[in-house]
Amino acid sequence: MCEAALRAGLAPDENWSLVERYTDGATLPNGRGQGIRFDIVNGLPSYRIGVHTDEHADVVIEVSAAVARELNLLYTDDPAYGAALDRAKQTGQIAMEGDLSRIPDWFTAIHDPLVDRTA
């Protein structure tokens, strides 16, 4: 994610944050829950593994581990991806809050390379 952000040539005043928290994730040795935090502060990206249950960001995604695993095996152009995402939203296994329209194109495009690494 950081590499993609750096390649995107972020504006020096760009600020944006994302928290993805596993609703049924394990507690990590550092006391945080399973998940990720991604920040862009003044155009510089950073990434951290583990999040607190009350951590806020511009976009917060809460997802079950099972749904995260399922989505991380499907490419975005696969109709099964859209169906799995819709099903997860309808069953409450994934919830998103925040201004998703601010997610840049380069960020949404990193899903498929993550699938390559997960598969």
Side-chain angles (χ1 to χ4, degrees), residues 36-117:
I36 62 166
R37 180 172 186 99
F38 179 73
D39 289 294
I40 299 171
V41 177
N42 297 324
L44 298 174
S46 64
Y47 176 90
R48 172 174 41 89
I49 296 174
V51 295
H52 296 287
T53 57
D54 61 349
E55 217 165 315
H56 298 284
D58 293 315
V59 174
V60 176
I61 300 170
E62 294 194 336
V63 61
S64 72
V67 167
R69 279 191 295 276
E70 179 181 11
L71 293 175
N72 285 341
L73 295 173
L74 298 169
Y75 291 100
T76 54
D77 64 353
D78 184 336
Y81 177 84
L85 188 58
D86 289 343
R87 188 173 51 255
K89 287 177 183 177
Q90 291 171 358
T91 61
Q93 293 185 68
I94 191 168
M96 295 180 247
E97 66 178 52
D99 185 2
L100 298 176
S101 68
R102 287 200 53 212
I103 295 176
D105 292 340
W106 62 264
F107 186 81
T108 55
I110 65 171
H111 176 81
D112 288 349
L114 290 173
V115 172
D116 290 338
R117 292 181 179 178

